Amino acid sequence: MAKKNTPQDPQPSLDSSSKIEAIKNLIFGENIEQYDSQFDTLKKEIDKRKKELEHYIDEVRNELMQSIDSLSTDVNIRITDLEDNLQAKTNALSEEKLDRKTLGKLLIDLGEKISS
């Protein structure tokens, strides 16, 4: 007689997560709850510190933006003052300056007066 290929009855097997749980229990035993608790505490502490750092970064960013705005305003005011000052000095020099023709004529007149 020939043997028929009949599927074997599946044996009850543990799924992978229950196998991992069994291995953890063998290795760590009763301390696993303590480790889990410590990991949860550390995770909460890390999350808390992360939020504090994000808040601090936002505060610093806002302060920097205010400082930049203030500095920009100050620089613009100083540039305007310098432009006004330069324009005033240019106008003052223009009023004091004699052109070459006038200076030449005055020197010729002075030379004629000296020679006569």
Side-chain angles (χ1 to χ4, degrees):
M1 272 176 90
K3 291 186 179 179
K4 290 185 180 179
N5 288 336
T6 59
Q8 295 179 346
D9 291 333
Q11 295 179 357
S13 63
L14 300 173
D15 62 347
S16 63
S17 63
S18 63
K19 288 180 183 179
I20 292 173
E21 271 309 307
I23 292 171
K24 283 190 335 188
N25 284 334
L26 286 174
I27 295 173
F28 298 108
E30 296 175 3
N31 294 336
I32 193 69
E33 290 179 15
Q34 182 182 4
Y35 294 142
D36 286 341
S37 172
Q38 289 175 350
F39 285 134
D40 287 341
T41 304
L42 287 173
K43 184 177 178 183
K44 288 177 184 176
E45 185 67 24
I46 289 171
D47 287 341
K48 179 183 171 188
R49 297 292 181 200
K50 181 182 175 187
K51 288 178 183 176
E52 288 175 1
L53 285 172
E54 287 172 349
H55 179 72
Y56 180 71
I57 288 170
D58 288 340
E59 285 180 358
V60 170
R61 181 179 293 124
N62 290 336
E63 288 177 13
L64 281 173
M65 293 305 291
Q66 288 175 354
S67 295
I68 288 170
D69 288 344
S70 175
L71 183 62
S72 176
T73 302
D74 188 42
V75 167
N76 286 336
I77 290 171
R78 289 182 185 208
I79 288 174
T80 303
D81 289 345
L82 287 172
E83 287 173 344
D84 293 343
N85 191 10
L86 180 63
Q87 186 64 39
K89 288 192 181 211
T90 303
N91 291 339
L93 285 174
S94 294
E95 291 174 6
E96 293 176 5
K97 178 180 132 182
L98 293 175
D99 63 16
R100 288 184 174 188
K101 281 187 177 182
T102 307
L103 182 60
K105 186 178 177 191
L106 288 173
L107 287 174
I108 291 172
D109 290 344
L110 183 63
E112 288 176 357
K113 286 182 182 179
I114 291 177
S115 63
S116 46

